[in-house]
Amino acid sequence: MTQNLGELVASTKAYGIDSSARDAAKRGVIDSIATMMAGRVEHAVALLSRAYKPFTKGDAIEIFECDLVGTDAAALINATAAHVLDFDDVSLKGHPSAVMVPALLALAQERNAKGSELLDAYVVGYQVWGELAQRESDMHHMKGWHPTGIFGSVGAAAACARLLRLDAGAAAHAIGLGATQSAGLMANFGSMAKSFQAGRAAQAGIMAAKLAQQGFTAGADVLNHSQGFLQAFSPFGRVTRSAEIAEVGKEWTIQSQPMSIKKYPTCYYTHRTIDSILALVKDVDVSEEMINCVKVHISSEHATVLCNHQPRTGLEAKFSIEFAAACALLHSRVSLADLTDTVVLNPRMQALMSRVETVHATEYSEQWQGAAKADWVEILLADGRTLETEPVVYAAGHASRPLAREDLNEKFTSCARAGSMEIDSVEILDRLWNLEQENIDSLWSGLCG
């Protein structure tokens, strides 16, 4: 399989990547840059930048202070910034854009590459990521793995190999070198280390492709070996390890399984619950004094990931269904402004969170692994009444309910504002929506001033 994927990476120029695949990738690029800008002011990013900058100088811009550093350092810092708020897009069991876009931006600056080259490399990396993710029948979270850290280094390695135009043999070694750097633990959810795992995956992808370019080698069948990538990370060993891969050229994975764009800066497993509550409170006045209990109906698998039941920080709250429900009820929104330590520690918030409980679903989705057929909420009131939200199957922003272009533009603008980026969002967005014609170094330098 490793060799077959290497051939896929090297042969995509012959297949050609059509405009609809590039357009789908473009949404991931725009959303990732947006969340990167918002995340640049987070303490985790400041610490990472401070630790790395004394040791590396180069041709790529890191987002924290817009300084020039080496490509691997830029990928690490920028991918951490893109993921630290958990506002980045989701697909293929993880967060592909937060890993691949920062890696490709850094490498494209060094190579003076065009936007069309970056988009094609993104599509290829997405293809390899999806090829591996769809082979597992169980949720990696249940074993404690963070899928973004696991698949991200391989997807980023493939994308970077495509941007470097490696031949099939070298591309296969890049994929193998990405696989051997895979890492990420669920126990880090709610801490700085979670976003660091995305940063390391981006950094690993660049390192893997550059090493392979120099002739550094990896195992010939590192992906589907009996002791290789797929088997080692499989929660229960129910993984398909055959060497055959999906045929490309007719439809890319990014076309059949495009990313979902987040509307709220919390774990995606909270979004259906948030949508259901916000729809209710638009029409019904519900104050916290009226509420005895909030019962969130959700799958046990998603409840396991949402492991922080009484969060004390904004980072912890991102993985708390209790916070998501309480915030939606208290503020009729869940926004970047709500994911702060001050808001989380507010006595009203803490009190309402303590009255939220989960009910594990018995009916499961046929399309979404580990998800309930729908998520919904019961609100038990002090006067004896019970309010029920409408069940939500697909959250707003899901690939089947995509954000309109103007909504994605608004998210980009608000993220730039949250990150104190003094840019002309209209001009930058116009360039990003026409990314094929752009020079990445010129675009990125202009955005970062």
Side-chain angles (χ1 to χ4, degrees), residues 140-389:
H140 289 83
H141 301 87
M142 297 301 102
K143 185 67 173 176
W145 296 124
H146 179 196
T148 298
I150 302 306
F151 296 113
S153 57
V154 188
C160 291
R162 174 65 176 82
L163 194 62
L164 290 175
R165 298 188 178 278
L166 301 187
D167 62 30
H173 287 305
I175 289 169
L177 290 166
T180 205
Q181 297 178 80
S182 293
L185 298 172
M186 246 190 69
N188 282 319
F189 283 24
S191 75
M192 294 181 185
K194 196 225 182 208
S195 56
F196 176 69
Q197 289 168 176
R200 280 288 294 120
Q203 183 185 46
I206 287 183
M207 185 180 295
K210 284 193 165 186
L211 284 173
Q213 187 181 40
Q214 296 300 318
F216 209 97
T217 63
D221 58 349
V222 67
L223 296 180
N224 60 330
H225 188 279
S226 60
Q227 294 175 304
F229 175 88
L230 289 171
Q231 189 67 36
F233 287 115
S234 180
F236 305 108
R238 295 191 289 257
V239 64
T240 302
R241 294 193 289 115
S242 63
E244 292 79 14
I245 63 172
E247 182 183 357
V248 297
K250 296 179 181 177
E251 184 179 59
W252 295 91
T253 298
I254 199 168
Q255 294 168 295
S256 60
Q257 301 176 59
M259 73 285 292
S260 299
I261 305 292
K262 282 189 174 186
K263 194 174 180 180
Y264 316 110
T266 54
C267 175
Y268 196 60
Y269 295 164
T270 67
H271 284 217
R272 298 197 296 184
T273 295
I274 294 169
D275 271 355
S276 71
I277 292 176
L278 293 182
L280 175 74
V281 298
K282 269 181 23 180
D283 302 318
V284 180
D285 184 26
V286 185
S287 66
E288 71 261 37
E289 294 84 4
M290 300 167 59
I291 299 172
N292 273 352
C293 180
V294 180
K295 295 185 176 182
V296 177
H297 291 255
I298 191 172
S299 73
S300 61
E301 289 86 345
H302 285 191
T304 298
V305 176
L306 301 170
C307 54
N308 298 321
H309 304 299
Q310 201 72 21
R312 307 289 295 177
T313 69
L315 279 175
E316 290 175 353
K318 291 175 179 296
F319 294 89
S320 171
I321 195 63
E322 291 83 2
F323 173 82
C327 187
L329 285 165
L330 275 176
H331 301 310
S332 299
R333 65 170 195 248
V334 180
S335 69
L336 285 172
D338 299 306
L339 270 297
T340 67
D341 297 356
T342 301
V343 171
V344 174
L345 288 171
N346 183 285
R348 293 171 60 204
M349 182 70 73
Q350 289 288 320
L352 187 52
M353 283 195 292
S354 69
R355 302 200 290 275
V356 178
E357 59 185 60
T358 56
V359 179
H360 293 167
T362 56
E363 292 186 88
Y364 275 69
S365 170
E366 295 181 0
Q367 292 79 35
W368 187 4
Q369 185 186 59
K373 188 174 182 180
D375 291 350
W376 60 286
V377 178
E378 290 179 276
I379 304 173
L380 283 58
L381 302 180
D383 63 9
R385 291 181 298 144
T386 298
L387 302 177
E388 293 185 2
T389 69

Side-chain angles (χ1 to χ4, degrees), residues 81-160:
H83 192 51
V84 70
L85 294 171
D86 252 283
F87 206 9
D88 47 314
D89 62 39
V90 294
S91 187
L92 309 179
K93 303 184 180 182
H95 301 264
S97 295
V99 175
M100 294 195 296
V101 171
L104 290 171
L105 284 172
L107 198 58
Q109 282 183 274
E110 183 182 69
R111 289 181 54 78
N112 199 31
K114 294 184 174 61
S116 56
E117 296 176 88
L118 183 147
L119 291 172
D120 289 354
Y122 180 101
V123 171
V124 170
Y126 198 97
Q127 187 77 20
V128 171
W129 187 316
E131 180 66 45
L132 298 175
Q134 59 87 24
R135 290 170 175 266
E136 178 55 63
S137 59
D138 297 299
M139 286 182 67
H140 289 83
H141 301 87
M142 297 301 102
K143 185 67 173 176
W145 296 124
H146 179 196
T148 298
I150 302 306
F151 296 113
S153 57
V154 188
C160 291

